[in-house]
Amino acid sequence: MNLMMRSRWWSFGFRSTIMLYFIVLIILPIIGIYTQSFKLGWGPFWDSITDPLAWKAVLLTIKLSVIATVSNMLLGTMIGWVLIRYRFPGRRLLNSLVDLPFALPTAVGGLMILLLLGPNSFVGGLADKLGFQIVFHEPAIIIAMVFVTFPFVIRAVQPLLEEMDKSEEEASYTLGASKSRTFFQVIFPSMLPGILSGSMLAFSRALAEFGAVVLVAGNIPGKTLIASVYIFGEIESDNTQGAAATSVLLLTLSFIILWVVNLVQTRRAGK
């Protein structure tokens, strides 16, 4: 009886600790952001989010995040396919390097892009001779976003490819279907939930990127100033309400994305 009571108390204490952790580190900060953004009323909140610089920063962030997400959707799907379906020397090393953006500080990633593609680099100098620039312009921001979100699609697609029943693929070939038709009608539908969920997570992550982008963006208002850097500037200018209002836009969009991801995964699990 005593052991049972101890087990119940231990289980209750464990659950309480987890809930306390969740409330203190996640729920309270989210409530704080929403409270801060609306503490002066709806009018100041609306003025903050309709400020031309804020609005342009948010729109630019969304546009570049979409481009980075589409790039990762294509690259991630192909890389995930190659790493699962093919055997070649160095495959394990490449597979382990996929997670490097998760382990590497994002500021280091931005510095790498700056050194490799900056004006003083070979690639940057060649691009300058051809009449366009990479660093301190939109291409550098997209590259930084692609770098930090690189693993999402790959890691979402790989388990689906591993779990795929190869008998369906073989049956398609037996019935005379071509490789392309088999891929799009048999393989791709099985990969699609992973592609979509990984892409949406990558998009949500790209929206909030700061460390890698701030070093390569140029931060020109209305041109290369993205939302996270704009928020940082507002905090430095002691405009916490304006920073919170812009943060609420990104946070709400991220909530919607996570809800859609959860819906996709729930439907997949229910099949």
Side-chain angles (χ1 to χ4, degrees):
M1 189 68 179
N2 290 334
L3 289 176
M4 186 177 295
M5 289 295 295
R6 289 179 183 177
S7 177
R8 288 179 179 178
W9 276 110
W10 185 88
S11 178
F12 175 77
F14 180 75
R15 292 198 302 269
S16 300
T17 302
I18 295 299
M19 289 303 299
L20 181 63
Y21 173 87
F22 185 77
I23 291 171
V24 172
L25 294 184
I26 298 178
I27 295 179
L28 290 181
I30 291 174
I31 293 174
I33 290 176
Y34 278 93
T35 302
Q36 180 69 28
S37 63
F38 287 102
K39 74 174 185 178
L40 300 179
W42 173 258
F45 172 81
W46 181 254
D47 291 339
S48 296
I49 63 174
T50 55
D51 181 90
L53 289 181
W55 192 240
K56 287 181 180 179
V58 171
L59 289 179
L60 178 65
T61 304
I62 293 174
K63 182 186 79 171
L64 299 183
S65 296
V66 168
I67 297 173
T69 300
V70 172
S71 301
N72 262 329
M73 183 185 298
L74 298 174
L75 291 172
T77 302
M78 290 187 290
I79 293 171
W81 172 270
V82 170
L83 290 176
I84 294 298
R85 288 300 184 101
Y86 294 94
R87 296 293 182 268
F88 52 89
R91 185 182 68 90
R92 291 186 178 180
L93 176 62
L94 291 177
N95 189 52
S96 63
L97 289 177
V98 168
D99 293 323
L100 182 63
F102 285 158
L104 196 68
T106 55
V108 176
L111 181 60
M112 288 166 50
I113 296 171
L114 184 62
L115 295 176
L116 291 173
L117 305 177
N120 297 324
S121 68
F122 172 77
V123 177
L126 183 61
D128 189 51
K129 290 179 181 179
L130 294 175
F132 66 94
Q133 294 179 319
I134 301 175
V135 174
F136 309 131
H137 291 78
E138 290 184 5
I141 301 175
I142 296 172
I143 293 171
M145 288 180 172
V146 169
F147 175 78
V148 298
T149 60
F150 182 69
F152 284 105
V153 175
I154 299 174
R155 293 310 189 210
V157 167
Q158 283 180 320
L160 300 181
L161 288 172
E162 290 175 342
E163 296 171 3
M164 189 179 301
D165 187 0
K166 291 187 177 181
S167 62
E168 296 181 3
E169 187 178 347
E170 293 171 356
S172 178
Y173 292 137
T174 302
L175 293 173
S178 62
K179 288 186 177 181
S180 60
R181 186 174 182 181
T182 300
F183 176 80
F184 285 107
Q185 293 189 356
V186 178
I187 301 173
F188 184 73
S190 299
M191 297 168 57
L192 187 58
I195 295 172
L196 293 178
S197 60
S199 298
M200 285 184 285
L201 289 174
F203 178 71
S204 180
R205 178 68 181 83
L207 285 176
E209 179 51 33
F210 175 79
V213 170
V214 69
L215 297 177
V216 299
N219 308 323
I220 303 173
K223 293 184 178 181
T224 60
L225 180 66
I226 66 168
S228 58
V229 181
Y230 172 81
I231 292 169
F232 178 73
E234 291 298 288
I235 293 174
E236 285 195 322
S237 301
D238 201 28
N239 183 17
T240 55
Q241 197 277 334
T246 307
S247 299
V248 162
L249 289 179
L250 300 181
L251 184 59
T252 303
L253 184 57
S254 295
F255 275 139
I256 295 172
I257 293 169
L258 292 176
W259 177 79
V260 173
V261 170
N262 184 67
L263 182 63
V264 170
Q265 293 176 341
T266 301
R267 287 187 174 182
R268 175 175 171 266
K271 290 185 178 180

